[in-house]
């Protein structure tokens, strides 16, 4: 049995080791890329990093279930797993392939459907965000807190868009409303880091529909940092909220309600 502190420390070391692999691959420019389902980009490095993390987690935590984007995406939304690791080996694959810096390893751990540990490590930004239930949230071991913004006009909002082009059009009313009422919008290309940016007050809010591996770790970090985390739609029965990836809204507490109203009104 590991304590939460031990799990957190091991998860940080695994994410940082994975980050080194990502840095090395970029330095050597030795990877190939292809499209998987629809228009989604994947590189050799995504798969290699997924394998490395899988090996390490199996070594330290034998028998615990693992949901990961490249090697085991099928466990999504399985509520019947007592202990579940949720892994995105590279969040921000397009950024990685294009030489941009918003790239992260995201590792979350859930127990009985509740997110308990989150680590998001950004190798090109030299930042490791981490949190565990009840233990606070940190960036590079320094405590972090969500912002205090309370007015939409002062809220900088992060979001993202799906790979499928036709699905993007439906998101335009919300985007228009946010551009009209809020300070501005950022589309940085790595959902895990968007959540961490809300956790440390760089962003006032973030909304998007993603997949479990994109958000579980960052969600734990944002919540532990005092951000309000929620959904803009009902969660299907039997699915844990901490694993349900659709219609996410994460915001500084004082602006959450106003953001929720703005986004819901825009999509009607
Ligand atoms: C993507 C990023 C992006 C978000 C997409 C995700 P990937 O993850 O998090 O910011 O807008 O919805 O799919 O494909 O780079 O791991
Ligand atoms: Ca991702
Ligand atoms: Ca990914």
């Amino acid at each position: 049995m590991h304590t939460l502190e031990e799990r957190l420390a091991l998860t940080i070391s695994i994410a940082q080791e994975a980050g080194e692999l990502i840095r090395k691959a970029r330095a050597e420019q030795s990877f190939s890329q292809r499209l998987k389902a629809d228009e989604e980009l994947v590189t050799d490095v995504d798969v290699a990093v997924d394998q490395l993390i899988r090996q390490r987690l199996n070594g330290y935590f034998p028998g615990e279930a693992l949901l990961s984007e490249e090697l085991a995406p099928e466990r999504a939304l399985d509520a019947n797993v007592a202990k579940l690791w949720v892994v995105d080996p590279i969040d921000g694959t397009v950024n990685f392939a294009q030489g941009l810096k918003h790239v992260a390893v995201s590792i979350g751990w859930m127990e009985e459907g509740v997110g308990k540990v989150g680590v998001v490590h950004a190798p090109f930004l030299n930042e490791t965000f981490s949190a565990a239930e009840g233990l606070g949230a940190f960036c590079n071991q320094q405590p972090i807190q969500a912002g205090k913004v309370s007015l939409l006009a002062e809220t900088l909002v992060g979001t993202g868009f799906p790979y499928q082009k036709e699905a993007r059009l439906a998101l335009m009313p919300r985007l228009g409303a946010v551009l009209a009422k809020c300070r501005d919008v950022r589309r940085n290309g790595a959902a895990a880091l968007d959540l961490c940016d809300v956790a440390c007050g760089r962003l006032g809010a973030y909304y998007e529909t993603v997949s479990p591996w994109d958000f579980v770790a960052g969600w734990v970090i944002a919540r532990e940092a005092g951000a309000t985390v929620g959904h803009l739609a009902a969660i299907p029965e039997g699915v844990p909220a901490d694993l349900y990836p659709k219609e996410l809204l994460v915001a500084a507490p004082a602006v959450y309600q106003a953001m929720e109203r703005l986004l819901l009104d825009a999509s009607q």
Side-chain angles (χ1 to χ4, degrees), residues 18-34 42-53 70 88-90 93 96-97 103 105 124:
E20 278 314 301
L21 191 56
I22 294 170
R23 286 168 79 100
K24 194 160 163 277
R26 173 169 283 177
E28 293 170 358
Q29 282 293 307
S30 54
F31 56 89
S32 66
Q33 29 183 300
R34 64 191 158 81
V42 62
T43 73
D44 294 351
V45 191
D46 295 71
V47 179
V49 175
D50 203 323
Q51 257 151 2
L52 171 76
I53 296 172
E70 308 307 337
D88 193 343
I90 299 186
T93 293
F96 173 68
V103 170
V105 178
F124 305 114

Side-chain angles (χ1 to χ4, degrees), residues 15 91 104-107 118-122 127-130 192-193 196 217-218 221:
D91 187 43
V105 178
S106 174
I107 308 179
V119 173
V120 174
H121 170 62
E127 288 187 326
T128 307
F129 292 91
S130 61
L193 288 174
C196 293
I221 294 166

Side-chain angles (χ1 to χ4, degrees), residues 172-254:
M172 292 305 124
R174 280 186 177 173
L175 183 63
V178 171
L179 285 169
K181 300 281 184 199
C182 299
R183 172 159 282 164
D184 208 337
V185 168
R186 293 291 179 268
R187 197 287 189 248
N188 287 327
L193 288 174
D194 292 337
L195 286 155
C196 293
D197 281 338
V198 176
C200 66
R202 293 171 185 161
L203 292 175
Y206 160 77
Y207 72 97
E208 192 176 358
T209 285
V210 292
S211 297
W213 43 81
D214 297 309
F215 91 101
V216 169
W219 179 262
V220 174
I221 294 166
R223 181 163 60 202
E224 275 297 313
T228 303
V229 302
H231 294 83
L232 294 160
I235 299 161
E237 210 172 312
V239 178
D242 287 3
L243 195 55
Y244 188 62
K246 297 191 179 168
E247 303 260 27
L248 305 177
L249 173 60
V250 177

Side-chain angles (χ1 to χ4, degrees), residues 101-126:
K101 294 190 174 177
H102 266 74
V103 170
V105 178
S106 174
I107 308 179
W109 181 72
M110 308 182 66
E111 190 174 33
E112 308 293 350
V114 178
K116 299 251 166 124
V117 171
V119 173
V120 174
H121 170 62
F124 305 114
L125 301 171
N126 295 312

